[in-house]
Amino acid sequence: MDPTHLFELVIVMLLAIIALHYVAHRLGLPPSVALLTGGALLAFVPGLPVIALDPGLVLVIFLPPLLMDGAWVIALGHLKRHMIGIASLAVGAVVFTTVVVAVVTHWLLPSLPWAACATLGAIVSPPDAVSARAILQSVKLPRRLLILLEGESLLNDASGLVLFRFAIAAGVTGAFNTVDALGSFFILAIGGALIGSAVGAAWVLLVRRLGDEYLMIAASVMAAWPSYLLGEMFHVSGVIATVTTGLIMGWHQHTVLSASVRMRGTSFWTVMIFLMEASVFMLIGSSLRGVVERVGGFGVVIHEMGGPILIILLALTLARFAWVFGSDVVIMACRSLGLRRYAPLGARSGAVLSWAGVRGVVTLALALSVPDGFPGRDFTLVTAFAVILGTVLLQGTSLGVLIRWAGLSEPISERARFSMSQAEAAMAQVQAKIIENRAYDSEGNLIHPRLLERYQRRATMIVDYVGQEEQYAPRLHAHFDLVLEAIAAGRAELIRLHRSGEIDEETLQELERDLDLEELSAISAKS
């Protein structure tokens, strides 16, 4: 394809992303569903070229920053607290699902070698980080479920990739050794964690010395790819390396980055991740045409592969339910024996967790990377695509309904000791204390009266607000509505002064930045 035409196609895709997101918002649909559907429809527009994805390039471009984004914001304390549950899903559920899919596939297609069946199982078993994030952003879940899903999506790709590599090797060589596979998995995981720790530590040292805000933002954005590429270069888990780097960066960013860097960097990072997530779903949908044409058209897919694919999709879904509810049974049995450290999820939480196993870009990339001539490659590719479509379209559209039906609430054990208003009161009291100590000079003269009055009044108001949030809410909203109205009036006057030539561009930008910060503060306080 001509490079100019390729660039034009990228621009069309980005414009389509904006349009499809808007349509999804208006219709109340998850954006991932609209993007996947739109990409599939776009693939069959006459005159457009067939999208042929390079699986290795797709993983290298999209997976590291999306993993980094999830690791950057995840609550590390909750992650450690629920690590057993996360490991159960990220490793145990992936292995169990791989075995179930392999057995069902071999039962449906006895002529397909076990290695090929296991390869298909490894491809479709890990839920996808991108798909999970796209759906979780639009729903409200209790902290425990959210951490389990986020943690699983960050780590299960490593399990799926290891299983995939060994299944492919078994299919090519005809040999498989369980002990070697387990040993390799631990080496990959530990090696990935070490490389990720090294990259994360290097980032902390680097940003402390750069001294330039834009260089700090650039270094933070770029850190995802070196950690992933170094992991792959040293033949360990690039996924775990990237996640480890993201966890370290997320932990230290509060102390090594200034407020200005965080604001600017977060804005840039958010837009970049938005475009990358959306592009992933568009590319998955756009690749449908190539997949269908490869196997001979929709007729072949529906009549020859439709039945087995539906059964495999059902087995895949039921396997996750069996693992989640089976784990709950084990936890209840342990509690009956006196081991009460872990609490069962319960039927409703278990149903939500089981239904949230959406597949995405990793599944497609692994399917596309199956070597030519590998037994059952076409069936594997079509099944992988069908699993992505089925889970995104079915589970993606119904997960919100299921969550509302479940009526889940945050258990007391998972709630933070301090509420938002209590934390604000604690900060305000400390700030007021500092001002009180510094408001007087060495001779006892008050030199900062207005500052002292401001912080004391603020601390008193916030302390009074604690525990009476509902009572104060109407007055609080009215207060900040008026503040926002005043900001809007000030902004209009500032623009008028600039357009009439009474102030220059530099003054406009400086004062507009102050208004932006004030507006963000008011919106945050109001919400």
Side-chain angles (χ1 to χ4, degrees):
M1 185 189 302
D2 180 79
T4 303
H5 291 159
L6 178 61
F7 179 73
E8 291 171 351
L9 186 61
V10 171
I11 295 300
V12 169
M13 184 182 72
L14 294 177
L15 292 174
I17 285 171
I18 296 173
L20 290 168
H21 254 271
Y22 176 77
V23 170
H25 176 71
R26 298 290 294 179
L27 298 178
L29 293 172
S32 56
V33 173
L35 292 165
L36 192 62
T37 306
L41 294 175
L42 193 64
F44 290 93
V45 173
L48 287 182
V50 177
I51 300 296
L53 299 179
D54 184 300
L57 185 61
V58 168
L59 286 180
V60 168
I61 291 176
F62 292 101
L63 191 57
L66 296 172
L67 288 171
M68 176 74 74
D69 186 55
W72 179 281
V73 299
I74 198 167
L76 192 55
H78 287 280
L79 184 70
K80 291 190 291 186
R81 181 177 180 181
H82 296 293
M83 185 51 71
I84 297 297
I86 291 170
S88 170
L89 291 169
V91 180
V94 169
V95 173
F96 178 71
T97 304
T98 298
V99 172
V100 169
V101 171
V103 170
V104 171
T105 303
H106 195 265
W107 170 66
L108 292 169
L109 304 170
S111 61
L112 203 61
W114 275 106
C117 298
T119 298
L120 175 59
I123 288 171
V124 300
S125 59
D128 185 63
V130 182
S131 302
R133 280 176 47 79
I135 291 174
L136 292 177
Q137 287 173 352
S138 60
V139 298
K140 180 69 173 176
L141 285 175
R143 172 69 67 178
R144 183 184 180 187
L145 275 184
L146 190 62
I147 290 294
L148 287 173
L149 286 169
E150 288 180 345
E152 176 196 16
S153 68
L154 289 176
L155 299 176
N156 61 9
D157 289 337
S159 306
L161 287 167
V162 171
L163 290 172
F164 173 76
R165 289 171 182 172
F166 275 95
I168 290 291
V172 173
T173 64
F176 177 78
N177 188 304
T178 304
V179 176
D180 289 345
L182 289 173
S184 296
F185 176 78
F186 285 111
I187 291 173
L188 291 170
I190 295 171
L194 290 175
I195 287 179
S197 299
V199 175
W203 174 84
V204 173
L205 294 174
L206 180 63
V207 295
R208 281 177 172 165
R209 288 163 172 77
L210 284 175
D212 181 276
E213 292 187 353
Y214 293 106
L215 291 178
M216 292 179 186
I217 294 170
S220 301
V221 171
M222 293 297 296
W225 285 283
S227 56
Y228 183 86
L229 292 171
L230 282 172
E232 295 299 309
M233 186 175 72
F234 285 99
H235 304 292
V236 295
S237 175
V239 171
I240 292 180
T242 307
V243 170
T244 304
T245 299
L247 292 173
I248 293 172
M249 292 171 62
W251 178 261
H252 287 282
Q253 55 104 359
H254 307 288
T255 55
V256 300
L257 299 180
S258 66
S260 176
V261 170
R262 266 196 305 277
M263 284 188 62
R264 294 178 179 180
T266 300
S267 299
F268 173 78
W269 182 260
T270 302
V271 173
M272 187 186 81
I273 292 299
F274 161 74
L275 291 175
M276 295 192 82
E277 283 183 347
S279 298
V280 165
F281 287 107
M282 285 291 290
L283 289 172
I284 291 174
S286 300
S287 63
L288 174 62
R289 180 178 168 185
V291 172
V292 171
E293 289 181 353
R294 177 183 173 86
V295 298
F298 279 110
V300 174
V301 172
I302 294 172
H303 294 104
E304 297 183 12
M305 302 181 182
I309 287 174
L310 286 176
I311 295 174
I312 290 171
L313 181 57
L314 179 62
L316 180 77
T317 305
L318 293 177
R320 184 171 176 88
F321 273 86
W323 183 268
V324 170
F325 281 90
S327 299
D328 246 19
V329 170
V330 172
I331 291 174
M332 287 188 286
C334 291
R335 289 176 68 86
S336 67
L337 297 175
L339 303 174
R340 299 183 175 274
R341 180 178 178 183
Y342 299 103
L345 287 169
R348 295 191 176 190
S349 293
V352 171
L353 184 63
S354 301
W355 194 242
V358 183
R359 273 65 177 180
V361 64
V362 173
T363 292
L364 183 61
L366 291 181
L368 290 170
S369 63
V370 174
D372 287 330
F374 194 82
R377 185 182 190 274
D378 289 346
F379 178 77
T380 296
L381 188 57
V382 174
T383 303
F385 202 98
V387 166
I388 296 170
L389 283 175
T391 55
V392 172
L393 297 179
L394 181 60
Q395 297 176 2
T397 54
S398 58
L399 183 60
V401 176
L402 178 60
I403 291 171
R404 286 192 292 274
W405 167 82
L408 304 176
S409 59
E410 193 78 68
I412 296 177
S413 61
E414 293 292 326
R415 296 174 189 170
R417 290 197 306 115
F418 274 25
S419 65
M420 178 76 75
S421 55
Q422 287 174 319
E424 288 178 333
M427 289 192 303
Q429 287 175 309
V430 170
Q431 289 175 324
K433 189 68 175 176
I434 289 292
I435 298 299
E436 288 171 6
N437 292 337
R438 303 288 295 276
Y440 299 87
D441 61 17
S442 58
E443 297 178 359
N445 299 314
L446 182 60
I447 56 175
H448 299 295
R450 293 189 179 180
L451 200 59
L452 178 62
E453 180 187 0
R454 172 189 166 192
Y455 274 87
Q456 286 179 334
R457 183 174 68 251
R458 181 171 178 269
T460 301
M461 290 174 60
I462 294 177
V463 170
D464 291 341
Y465 178 72
V466 175
Q468 304 183 64
E469 289 84 354
E470 293 185 6
Q471 177 184 341
Y472 279 98
R475 280 185 284 170
L476 190 68
H477 285 191
H479 170 84
F480 285 107
D481 282 339
L482 184 56
V483 170
L484 291 170
E485 189 176 338
I487 293 170
R491 192 185 302 278
E493 176 63 13
L494 182 65
I495 293 171
R496 187 194 69 78
L497 291 172
H498 176 257
R499 291 180 177 174
S500 65
E502 297 179 59
I503 60 174
D504 58 16
E505 190 74 24
E506 185 178 351
T507 301
L508 170 69
Q509 292 177 358
E510 188 69 26
L511 293 179
E512 188 177 41
R513 177 178 175 275
D514 293 342
L515 287 174
D516 289 343
L517 291 172
E518 190 177 355
E519 182 177 340
L520 289 173
S521 177
I523 292 173
S524 176
K526 181 182 175 182
S527 61

